[in-house]
Amino acid sequence: MSIKDIYQAVIDFNNAKVVELVKHELANGTDVSTILNDGLIAAMDEVGRLFSEGELFVPEMLRSAQAMKAGLDELKPLLAQSAAKSAGTIVIGTVKGDLHDIGKNLVAMMMEGAGFDVIDLGVDVDTEKFVKTAKEKNANVICMSALLTTTMPGMEEVIKAVKAQGLDIKTMVGGAPVTQEFANKIGADGYAEDAPGAVEKARELASA
Amino acid sequence: MIVVGELINASRKPIKEAIETQNADYIKQIAKEQHEAGANYIDVNAGIFVGKEPEYLQWLVKNVQEVVDGPCCIDSPDPKAIEAALAVHKGTPMINSISLEKERYDALLPIIAGTDYKVVALCMSDGGMPETTEDRLKIADELINGLVKNNIPIDNIYVDPLVQPIGTNSNFGIEFLNAVEAIMTRFKGVHTMCGLSNISYGLPNRKFLNQAFAIMAIAKGLDGLIINPLDKQMMAGLIAAEALAGRDDFCCNYLGAFRAGKFEF
């Protein structure tokens, strides 16, 4: 057994096997960050890649994320003392007036799968809550979702507030009606078309 | 069965481009094709154009009705856009949609109260998206009662129980279907309608899932659909499903469709 097996078990969405293998590696004294990065996160990267290429579909991505999470739960008590570094902190939510959360949930899940600390504020989140939480939690990136064109201006409001307060927090937007063009117009730091794309962008922004 | 033709939606690229370049001929052509294929209403949606939605929605209505002698389904959550479209609309439109979200409800109610418009009542409230049959029924109950109290005849109300993707929760299909049945049973005279594409979000072969889902919903009593009427297989499936569900006396409609060649693809 090896890290490669953990990787494969996540891709095969086998929760029980992921847990068993992670326990086994821990018992063998394998480094927590190796299990996390080369096993769990690497697997979710591959799942994201396969999803973006159309090889895998949403339910399969969800199952893999569940398997990843099951493994992560085993590691969590040990993460604090380990050398494993969080990929960054993400504050995510659907903007004010908008209750759609399916896309937002997929993004939040993939962010977790990529090793980010994710604070999910849910739906109908106003500007103040986004900014206040991001400040409190020292977030790297605020991610905003909207499905309604009528609620999209809420994104600009958050971005303006972040800039007006001179905060060193990046902003990302997404959702069915949102485009790169719109993101540029409102001054967002990032936009992505799908959940794996959002992970890639968040990594870029969090390390910048 | 009420069919709303869904193709004139700015979230579709060719429509977005036609609106941007003010290519009226293209809009007219798509409107005409849908009407001829059997759409009772032509949906018009300019939702992606933030700020310009009222102007563009009005432009769409005008152009559609220049070639189609029939009503539009005015598709927007924004009262300003709906009012702009209504200002030029001829006949009795369908408004898509009001919901129980307070802001949207309060803004749209004065526009539709006491009118003879057809109204799509979307099962969504400030409490979030409904997931179970019970969630949907509760919202539908409040919506129907609120609309009827404001002088909208129950026969003009089309409840949309809100389709959610089975790709993210395997129960979302059956909860929707049972909601259709419960709404149609409990509120005599009301209608139910929905779009389909959400059901298959994130899955391959979406057309097949959408079609099967439409037919299952018709069996539960669904009597309105927002679809692509140019999809001949879908349209044929609806006719067959209605006959099978006991809503086609002496199979008249089915036989008429057969003679009109609607089962030849």
Side-chain angles (χ1 to χ4, degrees):
Chain A
M1 280 194 261
S2 70
I3 296 289
K4 192 79 197 156
D5 295 322
I6 296 179
Y7 173 94
Q8 195 56 45
V10 170
I11 290 179
D12 295 340
F13 30 81
N14 188 335
N15 292 25
K17 200 161 175 202
V18 171
V19 171
E20 182 199 316
L21 291 169
V22 167
K23 280 184 173 158
H24 183 83
E25 286 301 323
L26 286 172
N28 278 355
T30 309
D31 189 38
V32 173
S33 61
T34 307
I35 301 174
L36 180 66
N37 292 319
D38 301 349
L40 302 175
I41 293 177
M44 285 312 290
D45 281 348
E46 178 63 3
V47 167
R49 193 186 65 78
L50 291 169
F51 174 80
S52 291
E53 280 185 358
E55 287 285 319
L56 289 181
F57 299 97
V58 165
E60 293 167 320
M61 193 160 77
L62 283 169
R63 284 185 74 182
S64 280
Q66 256 182 28
M68 190 276 184
K69 238 182 150 177
L72 190 61
D73 285 345
E74 294 299 317
L75 296 182
K76 266 199 178 140
L78 307 162
L79 276 175
Q81 307 104 336
S82 80
K85 246 184 73 190
S86 161
T89 300
I90 304 277
V91 167
I92 188 168
T94 304
V95 295
K96 177 133 193 68
D98 206 323
L99 303 172
H100 296 86
D101 65 355
I102 284 167
K104 185 264 298 167
N105 291 346
L106 284 176
V107 172
M109 197 188 71
M110 290 303 281
M111 293 283 189
E112 261 178 42
F116 283 97
D117 291 316
V118 177
I119 298 142
D120 187 347
L121 298 176
V123 297
D124 194 18
V125 181
D126 63 24
T127 300
E128 200 200 327
K129 195 163 176 199
F130 268 119
V131 177
K132 195 167 155 255
T133 313
K135 276 201 295 202
E136 274 170 18
K137 303 286 179 181
N138 234 333
N140 302 81
V141 187
I142 297 177
C143 295
M144 293 166 277
S145 169
L147 194 83
L148 301 175
T149 48
T150 42
T151 58
M152 281 162 63
M155 296 174 155
E156 189 172 9
E157 234 183 74
V158 174
I159 294 168
K160 274 189 181 152
V162 169
K163 287 186 177 156
Q165 298 183 36
L167 303 171
D168 184 23
I169 301 170
K170 301 281 198 257
T171 51
M172 270 177 66
V173 294
V178 180
T179 58
Q180 180 69 59
E181 199 187 340
F182 176 77
N184 294 346
K185 204 182 100 196
I186 63 171
D189 298 304
Y191 158 81
E193 209 176 88
D194 61 11
V199 167
E200 210 173 297
K201 198 81 210 170
R203 277 186 178 140
E204 205 179 285
L205 294 175
S207 63
Chain B
M1 170 66 64
I2 296 275
V3 171
V4 178
E6 71 182 1
L7 294 178
I8 303 184
N9 189 314
S11 65
R12 299 179 62 245
K13 215 173 164 201
I15 299 295
K16 175 178 180 253
E17 283 169 10
I19 294 174
E20 277 167 345
T21 59
Q22 296 283 288
N23 181 354
D25 288 344
Y26 183 73
I27 299 296
K28 285 177 185 168
Q29 181 201 328
I30 300 295
K32 222 169 133 195
E33 281 174 10
Q34 293 187 91
H35 185 65
E36 281 163 7
N40 305 96
Y41 291 81
I42 307 296
D43 194 85
V44 283
N45 179 311
I48 62 159
F49 295 103
V50 180
K52 283 193 152 175
E53 192 187 354
E55 177 196 331
Y56 285 161
L57 201 61
Q58 187 175 67
W59 181 79
L60 287 176
V61 170
K62 262 193 220 159
N63 282 295
V64 167
Q65 290 199 318
E66 262 180 43
V67 288
V68 169
D69 184 19
C72 290
C73 175
I74 299 169
D75 183 358
S76 170
D78 180 3
K80 280 199 210 82
I82 291 175
E83 276 182 321
L86 284 172
V88 294
H89 187 275
K90 292 175 283 194
T92 309
M94 178 178 276
I95 308 293
N96 183 14
S97 57
I98 193 165
S99 76
L100 206 58
E101 295 158 275
K102 193 172 181 329
E103 209 174 303
R104 184 154 163 185
Y105 185 85
D106 290 346
L108 281 182
L109 195 62
I111 299 180
I112 58 177
T115 66
D116 59 353
Y117 302 158
K118 308 280 180 190
V119 178
V120 179
L122 181 65
C123 285
M124 213 153 118
S125 73
D126 290 323
M129 315 273 269
E131 297 201 340
T132 63
T133 301
E134 272 312 305
D135 292 347
R136 291 181 165 88
L137 207 51
K138 202 170 157 266
I139 300 173
D141 188 355
E142 281 188 54
L143 269 173
I144 294 168
N145 277 301
L147 293 174
V148 168
K149 252 182 236 153
N150 283 279
N151 300 316
I152 294 153
I154 194 161
D155 184 43
N156 286 349
I157 301 172
Y158 287 76
V159 178
D160 181 342
L162 192 79
V163 177
Q164 299 233 65
I166 50 165
T168 62
N169 181 333
S170 318
N171 290 322
F172 277 166
I174 192 66
E175 293 293 340
F176 175 93
L177 293 169
N178 289 338
V180 169
E181 186 170 41
I183 291 165
M184 294 302 269
T185 312
R186 193 169 303 183
F187 307 100
K188 288 281 173 238
V190 85
H191 304 277
T192 39
M193 81 143 37
C194 65
L196 289 170
S197 57
N198 263 349
I199 195 69
S200 55
Y201 167 80
L203 292 167
N205 234 334
R206 296 184 68 171
K207 229 175 143 171
F208 195 71
L209 279 169
N210 296 349
Q211 210 170 5
F213 190 60
I215 288 169
M216 291 172 83
I218 289 170
K220 293 283 200 179
L222 187 90
D223 59 356
L225 273 168
I226 307 172
I227 50 169
N228 172 8
L230 307 185
D231 179 346
K232 286 189 164 178
Q233 226 157 341
M234 172 67 88
M235 293 297 275
L238 304 186
I239 292 164
E242 282 221 289
L244 290 165
R247 297 188 340 227
D248 183 6
D249 281 348
F250 297 100
C251 305
C252 279
N253 197 30
Y254 181 81
L255 292 171
F258 162 71
R259 293 205 169 90
K262 288 192 179 170
F263 298 112
E264 290 155 27
F265 310 124

